[in-house]
Amino acid sequence: MTDLSLMPAPAATAAPAAVAPLTTAPAAPAVVTAAELYAKLLADAPLLIVDVRNPAEFARMRIEGREALDVLNIPYYAFIEDEDDAAAPIPTDREVVVVCAKEGSSEYVAELLAARGMAVSYLAGGFPAWGNHVDVRDVAAGAWGKVIQIARPARGDLSFVVVSDGAAAVIDPLRHTAVYHDTIAAEGASLAVVLDTHVHADHISGGPALAAATGAPYHVHAYDAIHPIDMLPATIPYTSLDDGQTFPIGAVTVTAHWFPGHTLGQFNFRLDAPDGTSALFTGDGIFLRSFGRPDLGGKGEAWTPLLYESLTERLPAIVHPHTLILPAHFSALDEAGADGVFSAPYAAVAATNDALRHRDLAEFTAYVLGHLPVFPPEYVQIKRVNIGLLEAGEQLADELELGKNICALSA
Amino acid sequence: MSTHFDATLDVKGAKCPMPLVKSRKAIGDLPVGHVLQVIATDRGSIADFQGWATTAKNIRLVAQETTAEGGQDLYVHYLERTA
Ligand SMILES: [Fe+2]
């Protein structure tokens, strides 16, 4: 009930909101920020989100949590039409957060619910504030420096900053780059290199912009710099990668390992620190519970055997049991610990991830074909943007990135 | 092609939920069978009026138009009171 502290001070005679009978003046609804909402989702406290957007918007993207989150879609106009009817499905014994497309409608509905005696708050900034919320957390740290996870929880996108001895590397940066500049500056470091594990299909990379702003080189493999469907080459400046190429970042070394399958030019980056810390930035290779689908380049048949080889032969050769797997996506919030970090040692991933279960190539291919989710048409466009074949302003970029990533095979 | 209407409601500049709140009130003041024209600048009103009309008890969405005025897009909705 931390949000109650955000409420205006009640009159001295008012009873606490939670026990106030309906006859006293209703409490005003509290405001919850996207960061506060995300903390509630991670903590998995019983919570009900009342999403008052229209059903089409709700179908496109919704707020997802862990076990204890319930979500109801009751459009705000239902409250205008018949308040009692609209409010009927909302239990009165749950903490409620109302969200809408902008903010005004959720405030409107939250006020109605507060007047009915409910413990209710509404999301500041509406759905865009949630969609653009960025979460920053340390993944690993030592005398050598640290690895920082930068997540966009609404989309299930993960990126990383490595800092060591005043040098920084950014891996798979997301579109809005301010957070990387801020994070690196806060660590007193300067950006040495920008690495994309692959040319992403689901989101627009911040890599070229970060490189342009800092002068750091931007690396992505040349195979991915050709649009797999258009067969046109990249127009952005980039430097290719070699299998086994190393990048010294202060006291740590980052080694590039070719890992074809999700894309032809997909790489994994392994970090080795002097104290034995080992982490593998897997991009859309392996995720904690799934792995990257091989069909987004339109060449699933050709790339599936490559993916099989990567998962069965390349991966075991580049990890220790204790190597932290750090993927570019999550599919569900319960893949994170309560600390909000999406990582697990390779040994744990190998034991629990169905993708790594022993299969021969035929079985693997059948498994892949049986678990391909829809192919979002905008993914072809996003790849164009990422190699400079299509210019996207903020509005188009927002539209292309609407919805959660669909880069993993389905469960 | 112009749509017939009996009354008009200007909600230009009003942000969600006000265009709908005001429309609900205005249509309640109309006789059954009359059509209310609502002029809004909120793009989200297109989908919201569609959703509202499908669930509301006595409203039919007759038509929707997008026009422009002084470089600003206008979203015009025509709602009939049916009961
Ligand atoms: Fe992806």
Side-chain angles (χ1 to χ4, degrees), chain A residues 153-297:
Chain A
R155 303 198 75 257
D157 290 343
L158 302 167
S159 63
F160 301 91
V161 175
V162 175
V163 185
S164 180
D165 282 352
V170 176
I171 294 151
D172 288 330
L174 306 171
R175 173 162 59 105
H176 292 129
T177 54
V179 65
Y180 304 100
H181 292 294
D182 294 349
T183 301
I184 292 166
E187 297 293 334
S190 58
L191 184 57
V193 64
V194 182
L195 302 169
D196 256 334
T197 52
H198 63 295
V199 168
H200 298 275
D202 71 289
H203 65 268
I204 294 170
S205 171
L210 270 177
T214 59
Y218 170 63
H219 288 270
V220 68
H221 192 265
Y223 284 162
D224 275 22
I226 296 170
H227 194 284
I229 288 164
D230 303 347
M231 298 309 287
L232 290 171
T235 64
I236 50 154
Y238 74 95
T239 311
S240 192
L241 291 159
D242 293 321
D243 197 4
Q245 184 175 357
T246 57
F247 298 90
I249 311 294
V252 306
T253 303
V254 173
T255 309
H257 295 282
W258 188 41
F259 202 91
H262 177 66
T263 66
L264 200 52
Q266 156 101 27
F267 271 66
N268 285 353
F269 297 110
R270 195 181 72 200
L271 171 142
D272 290 286
D275 65 356
T277 297
S278 156
L280 190 71
F281 303 99
T282 59
D284 288 17
I286 182 132
F287 303 126
L288 296 181
R289 296 225 187 114
S290 181
F291 56 86
R293 57 193 293 185
D295 63 318
L296 290 178

Side-chain angles (χ1 to χ4, degrees), chain A residues 323-349:
Chain A
T323 299
L324 281 179
I325 300 298
L326 300 172
H329 291 300
F330 65 88
S331 297
L333 202 55
D334 60 1
E335 290 173 46
D339 61 358
V341 172
F342 292 85
S343 78
Y346 173 69
V349 175

